[in-house]
Amino acid sequence: MLVVKDLVSGYSKMPAIHGVSFKVEKGQVVAILGSNGAGKTTTLKTVMGVLPAMSGTITYKGENLVGVPSHKMVLKGLSMVPEGRHLFPKMSIYDNLMMGAYSVKDKDSIAKKLETIYEIFPILSERKTQLAGTMSGGEQQMVAIGRALMSDPELLILDEPSLGIMPKLVDEIFEFIKKINKEMGVTIVIIEQNAEKTLAFSDYAYVISEGQTVIEGTGEALMKDDQVQRVYLGMD
C-alpha cells in the first residue's frame, strides 16, 4: 500500500533523515519508533507532502507521491493527525469534525461517517456543541482523530497520539485506535514514544535512529528483543 525507500528530507536543505525505508500493507497497524530527534515526525511530514523529499521514493498504491502537495493527499486517501492535535479551539466539536469533511461532496456520506465517529467516541456526540478548546487533552485527541476520519481515509497517520494525555486515558486512546483499524478497516501508521504499549498492538514496527531505519520486525518480536528495547527505545 505505502512503500518508502531511502528517503532523505529535512529543513533548510539540511537533511534530518537520510535513508529511511519502510512499507505498510493494507489493513496493518505499523509503528515507527525511536527516541526524540530520531527523525520520525520528519519522515511522516515528508510522506504527507508537508516537507519536500530531497531524494528517495514514496509510493502509495503504486503512485509516486514525491512532489504531491499536502492538500491533495486527502483526495488520495491519506489523512494525518499531527502532533499537538491543532484543533480550532474556539469552534465547537461538531464544527471541528466537519472541517475534516471539506473534501467530501456527498452529504449522505458525511452524515454516515459522522455517525460512525460518534459510535466510536460517544463523548463527542454528547458534547458536540462544546468548544474544542475547553476539553481535556484526551478528549481533544478524540476530536483530532475523528476529524481525520471524516475524510474517509484508507491510511491514517497518527503522530504521538498519547502525548500530553493523562495516563488513565492513554489506554483508552489506544483501544480506539485498535477499533478504527479492526472495525473500520483503516490502515494505520503510528509514531509513538510509548513503545511498549504501541508494540503490543502493532502488526509490524520500524525503529529509526539518527535519521535512518536501523531495525524492523513484528511488534511481538521487537517486544521480546532486549537489545532493541534498551539501545533504541530507552526501555528498561
Side-chain angles (χ1 to χ4, degrees):
M1 189 178 202
L2 176 68
V3 180
V4 175
K5 190 171 182 181
D6 300 326
L7 189 62
V8 178
S9 180
Y11 307 84
S12 302
K13 298 183 179 180
M14 290 291 292
I17 57 170
H18 39 87
V20 169
S21 299
F22 66 94
K23 67 178 180 178
V24 182
E25 303 288 355
K26 184 175 176 62
Q28 285 187 322
V29 175
V30 172
I32 309 290
L33 305 173
S35 60
N36 278 330
K40 304 184 301 296
T41 295
T42 300
T43 297
L44 294 190
K45 280 185 174 180
T46 307
V47 169
M48 289 298 293
V50 177
L51 292 173
M54 297 174 181
S55 64
T57 59
I58 306 167
T59 308
Y60 178 67
K61 297 201 295 188
E63 180 182 354
N64 176 27
L65 289 188
V66 174
V68 175
S70 58
H71 67 273
K72 290 189 176 180
M73 293 298 182
V74 171
L75 299 175
K76 295 183 181 297
L78 295 89
S79 191
M80 183 172 179
V81 179
E83 181 182 342
R85 300 178 280 276
H86 298 289
L87 297 179
F88 298 96
K90 295 184 179 180
M91 288 170 56
S92 69
I93 290 166
Y94 172 81
D95 287 338
N96 268 275
L97 292 173
M98 293 304 290
M99 289 296 289
Y102 74 92
S103 64
V104 182
K105 305 304 180 189
D106 186 338
K107 290 185 177 180
D108 287 340
S109 176
I110 292 172
K112 287 178 182 177
K113 185 59 63 175
L114 186 63
E115 187 177 333
T116 300
I117 289 165
Y118 283 159
E119 287 174 4
I120 294 174
F121 304 116
I123 194 171
L124 303 188
S125 177
E126 295 164 12
R127 302 191 190 177
K128 61 183 107 178
T129 60
Q130 184 175 335
L131 298 183
T134 64
M135 302 185 81
S136 71
E139 292 163 349
Q140 287 187 19
Q141 189 63 269
M142 294 176 201
V143 179
I145 294 171
R147 179 180 62 184
L149 290 172
M150 285 298 292
S151 65
D152 199 21
E154 293 181 63
L155 176 64
L156 178 65
I157 295 174
L158 300 166
D159 191 351
E160 302 282 7
S162 73
L163 187 69
I165 294 175
M166 293 172 60
K168 67 178 183 179
L169 284 178
V170 170
D171 287 341
E172 196 172 336
I173 290 292
F174 284 139
E175 284 301 318
F176 289 137
I177 293 168
K178 284 190 274 186
K179 189 177 288 190
I180 290 163
N181 174 246
K182 300 301 182 189
E183 296 183 12
M184 295 180 67
V186 179
T187 304
I188 290 174
V189 177
I190 180 170
I191 289 178
E192 252 300 329
Q193 283 289 310
N194 196 326
E196 187 172 5
K197 287 185 182 297
T198 306
L199 287 172
F201 69 88
S202 296
D203 297 299
Y204 209 78
Y206 294 83
V207 179
I208 295 177
S209 180
E210 297 179 355
Q212 293 181 299
T213 304
V214 292
I215 198 162
E216 63 179 90
T218 64
E220 185 179 4
L222 295 192
M223 279 282 285
K224 294 176 179 177
D225 191 321
D226 292 338
Q227 185 179 5
V228 169
Q229 294 185 16
R230 188 174 62 255
V231 176
Y232 295 115
L233 302 180
M235 295 165 60
D236 295 327

